[in-house]
Amino acid sequence: MSAEPALYSCVITHVRTTPRRYALRHRTYMWLVDPGHPPRLPLPLRPLARFDPRDHFTGDRPSIRAGLDAFLAGHGVRLDGGRVVMLTHARVFGYVFNPLSLYWCHGPGGELRCVVAEVHNTYGGRHCYLLRPDASGTVRADKEFYVSPFFPVDGGYRMRLPRPGPRLDLTVHLDREGGRAFTATVRGTRRAVSTTALLRLASRRPWSTLAVSAAIRFHGIRLRLRGLPVQPRPDQHIPENAS
């Protein structure tokens, strides 16, 4: 996998199967970057992509990589200088909402040591999962964080998180008692970072991160109007940074 930053033109799908079937599909674009050395764009393009350490982990570290390293150290994980790549949304015109950022963490020999999944909800909370996928990129984890107001904090995730290459192909299932309740997929095509590529994506998906946040709220209203009950939100610190 190349260490060069990349852009992915993505299609994100959500399929909810209980208590009522509901599906949505959303187009956006995401960045694959080194969190210690994110790309610094030419001045006129900087409003279209900024990677701010305040948006990740505890938000008080000098870089995103420093926040990641502190999180890993708190869980007894050392990378010994190994490379990390992060899949995320950048700030666009000063705004970002990242439902899911992923960090593929390698040792100095290039071996994958773990994946960190950083989840944000629309209430301002964040939570990190330390994951150890198998050779196929598949891993299971108990659900520990309130995300959708229509699901309580129970059940478990089955995730397929292969390292990004020419194609991005991620899947997250939520399994609850009684069966599979929800599936999210992210499918994308890699593009080299260039002025032309970024301007083309930004013109097709203007203010992309705000569009993600607005779409989540819009579909939440639709589900509420269709009679889905809202589950109580447990008390959680904001931002949340446990594994």
Side-chain angles (χ1 to χ4, degrees), residues 6-217:
L7 286 160
Y8 283 91
S9 178
C10 302
V11 176
I12 298 173
T13 63
H14 290 182
V15 178
R16 180 184 301 269
T17 54
T18 61
R20 182 172 299 175
R21 184 173 178 85
Y22 186 87
L24 64 90
R25 190 169 181 263
H26 177 69
R27 291 185 178 272
T28 187
Y29 61 93
M30 301 183 74
W31 289 81
L32 187 75
V33 301
D34 178 338
H37 303 281
R40 186 168 177 83
L41 300 176
L43 186 61
L45 295 181
R46 289 179 193 171
L48 297 179
R50 183 158 62 90
F51 302 91
D52 195 322
R54 293 174 297 175
D55 299 327
H56 301 276
F57 301 101
T58 55
D60 58 357
R61 299 288 175 162
S63 69
I64 301 172
R65 175 64 188 258
L68 171 65
D69 286 340
F71 170 79
L72 293 175
H75 293 81
V77 178
R78 293 181 54 182
L79 302 182
D80 301 313
R83 183 168 54 88
V84 176
V85 290
M86 171 180 70
L87 181 74
T88 193
H89 288 284
R91 280 183 175 257
V92 178
F93 297 115
Y95 181 84
V96 71
F97 177 65
N98 265 306
L100 177 65
S101 295
L102 291 168
Y103 305 79
W104 285 266
C105 305
H106 303 82
E111 74 282 4
L112 182 69
R113 291 194 172 175
C114 65
V115 175
V116 174
E118 183 182 24
V119 182
H120 290 74
N121 63 24
T122 55
Y123 303 98
R126 65 183 71 161
H127 183 86
C128 294
Y129 293 89
L130 179 64
L131 308 172
R132 300 186 186 276
D134 63 20
S136 69
T138 301
V139 65
R140 295 181 182 273
D142 292 337
K143 182 179 179 181
E144 299 175 347
F145 181 60
Y146 185 87
V147 182
S148 167
F150 305 108
F151 286 130
V153 182
D154 66 1
Y157 293 114
R158 183 179 184 274
M159 310 181 198
R160 185 175 178 275
L161 309 173
R163 287 177 284 191
R167 296 283 301 168
L168 184 65
D169 187 5
L170 311 175
T171 303
V172 177
H173 299 295
L174 173 63
D175 295 321
R176 302 181 64 216
E177 185 177 357
R180 181 151 295 160
F182 175 83
T183 297
T185 64
V186 183
R187 306 283 186 262
T189 302
R190 185 182 184 115
R191 301 183 181 191
V193 175
S194 68
T195 298
T196 300
L198 179 56
L199 289 176
R200 182 178 293 119
L201 288 169
S203 64
R204 291 176 178 173
R205 314 289 169 211
W207 222 320
S208 60
T209 59
L210 182 61
V212 170
S213 179
I216 289 172
R217 289 171 168 82

